[in-house]
Amino acid sequence: MAQADIRARPIALAVCLCTLPHIFNIPPWTAAVSAGLWVYAFFARGRGWPFPGGRILTVLAFFGFAGILASQGGGLGTDGAVALLSLMAALKILEIRTHRDRMLTLVLCYFLIVSGLFFSNSLGATLYMFFCVWCATAAIIHVNQPGMGARAPLRLSGVLMVQALPVMAAWFLLFPRIQGGLWSRFFTHAQKTGFSSEMSPGNIADLARNTAAAFRVEFEGEPPARRHWYWRGVALWDYDGTTWRIGDREASLGRRFSGKGRAAYTVSLEPNGERWLFALDMPSGVFARAVHRDDHTFYIRQPVTQRLIYNAVSYTQYNTGPLDADKAALALPRGLNPKTRELAQRLRAESKNTDQYVQKILAYFRENPFYYTLKPPLPGESAEYRQNRVDEFLFGSRRGFCGHYASAFAVAMRAAGVPCRVVAGYQGGARNPYGGHVTVRQSDAHAWCEVFTEEKGWTRVDPTAAVAPGRILMDASQILEAEAALDIFRMLRGTRMGQWMNTAGFGWDYINSRWNLWVMGYSQREQAGLWSRLGIDPGGIRAPAKAMGLALCAGAVVAFSVALFHARRPGTRTDAVGRAWEDFCGKLNRAGLTRRPGQGPVDYMETVSRARPDIAREVRGITSIYTRLRYGRGGSADSERSLALLVRRFNPPARRRVKQGAE
Amino acid sequence: MSLFTRLEEACARREEKRPREPLPLVLSHRRVYVMPTRHGFFFFMVLGAMLLGALNHNNNLGFLLVFLLGGMAFVSIFHTYRNIAGISLVSARSSPVFAQERAQFVFQITASGHARRGLSLYFRGGEKRGLDLLPDVETRVDVPCRATARGRFTPPTLVVATTYPFGLFRGWATTRPDTACLVYPRPVAGPMEASRTFAEDGGGGEAKGPGVDDFEGLLAYRPGDPLNRISWKAYSRGRGLHVKTFAGETGKTLLFDLDALSGHDLEKKLSRVCHMVLTAEAMRLTYGLKLGPRLVPPDSGAPHRRACLRELALFGEGRD
């Protein structure tokens, strides 16, 4: 049994801080075991608990590895790798014997911090990572200079970090990026949040509870009116009775169309594990390496695992032109929803044209007791509705949200021979009062329909608006709010606290959007611009080498000037004793008793005592403590403190009184 | 690791050719070298792996963190450098030692401007001494070094090194301070062979070994007196430490003649004479030395002993 190491505590703390953000990404048992190990390592020294020997640790490490492999199903994905790293770091704290072990563990900490980027690169996560770097670095300083105490390493670590920031900025801007990466990306985001390329009742309602940002949009100039904020994701063509799917459509170069009301904007899409890009209705082009489908939707070949920034152009008024013989827009599962078909055929026969028919269906929604709710009743199992979900919705429950309405509307259209498709995406968003950008959240997920008419081409029809026009003007979170009896936001609404939270929320979102756009969105394109401004031809073969050289030089210059500045700073005495003595001399100086340059403390004391007998006692006392601390055997922290206290209280009266005393 | 040792050896060989420098001496910024430690190399390997990952994933957060860590390591070089530059060696002292013993060189060191932390001082190949320096305060540090041979021992290169602040870089400055330590021969026990006494008879008769039969009296103990002569009886009575003296010891004057000793190995003979001097002094005899042409007139006491040992230490060396 080895003795616990006194320096294990800061290391245990550093490992703990660096692992914390992973705690929900790794298997729960790994997190629990790691936490147990930290606590053990932290308290073992003080309580005299034994530290396990090398053999026990090897066995533990082996079982940990096997356990993680087993819980990951044999493979080692990102989660598994991070879980392994966390567990090994936690075990390593118990194994610390030598300086080498300490350094190894702390370098491992840095690895843990950086591996956090596989889970999140939001501004909050970034700030936390910087905080971890600060702490881990302080631990490294402590390990190397154990005599420095607890606070000085934190301070020094902060100083070094601040000094490194300009170097970091220079390297970050200039270091050449490689388009597409070096080799295939070996892991991807495990989570698939938010949007899905299928629509079956339920998945949008789930999203409504997710207030995470889906994407942010920055318009060039004024954004179009809010009623146009339909963010197109996928067009759904195939319906099997429960689920709408994108269907098997050919990728084409897209369709040209004529339009008015041009809007150009930049989208910064949060990673969602899907491949669809979102654009305002109706997009004419998206400038990313995207495939343009003939239903005016876009996708990229790799799932979006990192924030993706792209530009797009849309027209709010448009005519998509004629329809190709498209049977997919009319297909319905055979024999389902007989009552809907009957209704559709009756209403179609009553109307003169397609437009009138559309209005009749919408009127049907409006005039019958339909309710917009995110908590629709569960599908009934009665024989009548088991297969016929649309019949159940239109004639039975009449409660649902956008997915139900869009689905029912599209079925009604197709049943009457009107080409129709469902479009899934987002609707609405919040305009940030600071940045002017629009943040679209997962809770803004929406589905609507598009109906084809010869004159207008594909036209958007939002059946939900017929039932809940407010849905178009307020977002789903507000609807949820209205439904929740005890909602914290509702309770706070209107209060000053609520307003403050609202303001803070917008501010934070603004900072996030800037950060995402300027820092996280910095890419080869922006870099090329910077290079050419610096006189490096971005197309040149030697450009990366030149930029790298420039980056190193810039870093060196910055670091050197920082160090020079640091060195030139006057009065860099860091010890309390020296500071106290300087204060003391300063006070005497103000009282007209200046120390000659190079005059020793004892000599100075004699001079002062002779000139000012009234303060001689105090001066003698302070000087004797100072000389004992400085030139003698040194002293305890107590005598340093008493010196500081005496100096603080020392207040030599001005010369006038002395003269009186002398006379 | 072998790379480091080889580098260090190469440095040492080069340094041996440099002239010795008189103190006081400032370790100016031009003398300071900084190299990564092996932890530093490990750190850079990890950093390189992270950079590759960031490049591959084109992840800006990865770049940011890697460059932050790299930047901190980079800035730390200057801190390492500043921790050494500006240190001055004010003086060095040393007390004589016997050969094979550890010589202690006492340095007075001061640093200008700001405090220095985690310094280590050592003679190349010797033991390390750690210290921290407060700004403008003279600090004393004893640096040991094994003195191998008799004579005037000049220590090897002095290294002032630090791994402040992270242990990822090691900064060092070297100097060959112009200081020396007197090394006496290693005392080797043997029979007392005084070639002649300075007594009246003046004959060449061999001095007898120290008589232990004729107890004469007690003398106050002085450091260096042989322990077996301590009168424990007197000590137990609470009279303090005393040394027994014996008749036949005092009053006799011995002369140790190097040439009179048998054997060919000069160093061995000097070692034996050294031992004789120590014994004679311990017994408070009056003794003198004859080392070839040099003669130390007989006397006794600590200064005389020192003078004799000095003669022995410097025998055969060009003096003055």
Side-chain angles (χ1 to χ4, degrees), chain B:
Chain B
M1 200 52 210
S2 68
L3 177 75
F4 284 98
T5 28
R6 238 182 292 163
L7 251 169
E8 191 119 19
E9 276 166 17
C11 281
R13 271 199 300 280
R14 265 192 55 196
E15 284 156 4
E16 296 306 323
K17 289 176 194 141
R18 286 208 320 231
R20 296 204 162 259
E21 294 165 296
L23 300 183
L25 161 97
V26 180
L27 299 175
S28 71
H29 60 94
R30 256 175 298 173
R31 287 172 182 261
V32 182
Y33 297 89
V34 179
M35 278 280 285
T37 59
R38 60 197 170 123
H39 303 303
F41 277 115
F42 176 64
F43 173 78
F44 286 118
M45 266 166 54
V46 170
L47 211 60
M50 294 187 212
L51 183 62
L52 278 181
L55 261 176
N56 189 44
H57 286 247
N58 225 334
N59 188 307
N60 273 344
L61 181 56
F63 280 118
L64 214 58
L65 282 168
V66 168
F67 292 148
L68 175 71
L69 291 175
M72 285 173 81
F74 191 65
V75 172
S76 86
I77 296 175
F78 292 89
H79 287 254
T80 308
Y81 184 83
R82 258 163 43 83
N83 205 38
I84 297 276
I87 290 177
S88 39
L89 304 173
V90 180
S91 65
R93 279 184 293 113
S94 59
S95 317
V97 289
F98 294 99
Q100 307 294 329
E101 279 187 356
R102 246 170 35 153
Q104 294 273 8
F105 288 86
V106 180
F107 286 95
Q108 291 288 338
I109 298 185
T110 167
S112 63
H114 53 98
R116 314 297 154 105
R117 291 192 174 275
L119 294 177
S120 86
L121 257 77
Y122 59 93
F123 288 112
R124 217 173 263 301
E127 242 178 272
K128 292 180 182 175
R129 284 284 177 270
L131 85 155
D132 290 351
L133 290 178
L134 286 171
D136 304 315
V137 177
E138 245 179 52
T139 307
R140 173 199 149 125
V141 57
D142 297 10
V143 188
C145 185
R146 183 168 283 288
T148 45
R150 173 192 68 92
R152 196 185 292 276
F153 170 68
T154 48
T157 308
L158 178 75
V159 183
V160 182
T162 186
T163 58
Y164 175 90
F166 294 153
L168 301 180
F169 288 94
R170 179 173 178 276
W172 75 94
T174 59
T175 175
R176 278 157 55 81
D178 189 12
T179 179
C181 175
L182 199 61
V183 181
Y184 303 146
R186 194 162 69 93
V188 171
M192 291 284 261
E193 287 178 38
S195 60
R196 62 191 156 104
T197 66
F198 280 87
E200 288 75 30
D201 54 39
E206 298 257 310
K208 274 186 263 154
V212 285
D213 34 6
D214 309 319
F215 178 74
E216 197 182 54
L218 290 172
L219 275 175
Y221 172 82
R222 289 184 309 179
D225 284 340
L227 287 180
N228 57 0
R229 295 283 190 95
I230 288 176
S231 167
W232 298 111
K233 220 182 267 173
Y235 182 70
S236 68
R237 287 187 200 116
R239 286 162 60 190
L241 277 177
H242 286 83
V243 185
K244 291 178 272 190
T245 55
F246 300 93
E249 287 186 346
T250 48
K252 241 180 201 162
T253 305
L254 304 174
L255 184 75
F256 304 125
D257 187 350
L258 185 70
D259 299 330
L261 291 180
S262 55
H264 299 288
D265 190 342
L266 174 69
E267 293 303 320
K268 238 176 221 165
K269 289 202 279 184
L270 283 167
S271 287
R272 284 191 54 201
V273 175
C274 176
H275 184 257
M276 288 177 209
V277 167
L278 294 179
T279 318
E281 179 59 33
M283 295 194 302
R284 305 199 179 162
L285 301 174
T286 309
Y287 56 93
L289 271 190
K290 187 172 179 297
L291 304 174
R294 270 193 101 81
L295 192 79
V296 183
D299 196 352
S300 68
H304 175 64
R305 170 178 172 267
R306 247 195 324 272
C308 291
L309 289 173
R310 184 182 166 81
E311 287 299 328
L312 287 170
L314 297 178
F315 179 74
E317 279 190 21
R319 280 184 62 204
D320 306 322

Side-chain angles (χ1 to χ4, degrees), chain A residues 103 111 114 117 129 137 140 144-145 156 163-164 177-178 181-183 185 306 519-520 522 560 566 572 630, chain B residues 46 50 56-63 65 67 69 71-72 74-75 78-79 82 113 137 164-167:
Chain A
M103 292 297 283
F111 215 98
V114 174
L117 63 85
M129 285 181 194
T137 308
I140 278 207
N144 280 283
Q145 275 83 35
L156 180 61
Q163 289 175 343
R177 309 298 155 91
I178 296 168
L182 297 169
W183 62 87
R185 298 184 180 171
Q306 292 177 325
V519 182
M520 293 295 114
Y522 183 77
F560 191 70
H566 196 80
T572 41
R630 228 338 104 77
Chain B
V46 170
M50 294 187 212
N56 189 44
H57 286 247
N58 225 334
N59 188 307
N60 273 344
L61 181 56
F63 280 118
L65 282 168
F67 292 148
L69 291 175
M72 285 173 81
F74 191 65
V75 172
F78 292 89
H79 287 254
R82 258 163 43 83
V137 177
Y164 175 90
F166 294 153

Side-chain angles (χ1 to χ4, degrees), chain A residues 30-158:
Chain A
T30 324
V33 170
S34 303
L37 290 170
W38 306 331
V39 172
Y40 191 88
F42 192 83
F43 290 109
R45 170 91 184 172
R47 310 276 157 99
W49 296 340
F51 263 29
R55 205 171 297 164
I56 299 172
L57 284 174
T58 313
V59 170
L60 277 176
F62 175 78
F63 277 111
F65 185 66
I68 288 167
L69 270 186
S71 62
Q72 293 284 308
L76 205 59
T78 321
D79 297 6
V82 172
L84 194 63
L85 200 59
S86 321
L87 196 67
M88 293 303 139
L91 277 171
K92 186 78 196 160
I93 316 173
L94 294 184
E95 206 205 9
I96 288 173
R97 306 270 184 276
T98 60
H99 183 66
R100 196 173 149 268
D101 293 331
R102 288 179 210 118
M103 292 297 283
L104 213 77
T105 314
L106 287 169
V107 174
L108 213 62
C109 270
Y110 287 133
F111 215 98
L112 265 172
I113 298 169
V114 174
S115 64
L117 63 85
F118 290 116
F119 299 109
S120 171
N121 62 353
S122 70
L123 183 55
T126 310
L127 288 177
Y128 185 77
M129 285 181 194
F130 273 54
F131 170 74
C132 284
V133 167
W134 178 51
C135 293
T137 308
I140 278 207
I141 294 170
H142 179 83
V143 156
N144 280 283
Q145 275 83 35
M148 270 176 95
R151 225 180 288 166
L154 281 170
R155 196 178 155 270
L156 180 61
S157 164

Side-chain angles (χ1 to χ4, degrees), chain A residues 618-631:
Chain A
E618 285 168 280
V619 170
R620 203 160 282 154
I622 289 173
T623 313
S624 79
I625 296 180
Y626 173 70
T627 47
R628 201 169 59 239
L629 281 171
R630 228 338 104 77
Y631 303 106

Side-chain angles (χ1 to χ4, degrees), chain A residues 357-398:
Chain A
Y357 173 60
V358 167
Q359 289 312 319
K360 272 195 194 306
I361 293 285
L362 292 179
Y364 180 81
F365 282 134
R366 219 169 11 246
E367 284 153 16
N368 289 293
F370 279 91
Y371 293 99
Y372 184 84
T373 173
L374 288 167
K375 290 173 187 157
L378 289 172
E381 286 303 312
S382 67
E384 189 185 3
Y385 294 139
R386 185 169 297 153
Q387 298 293 317
N388 308 319
R389 295 293 177 217
V390 174
D391 276 4
E392 182 189 14
F393 174 67
L394 283 181
F395 304 101
S397 69
R398 290 183 169 172

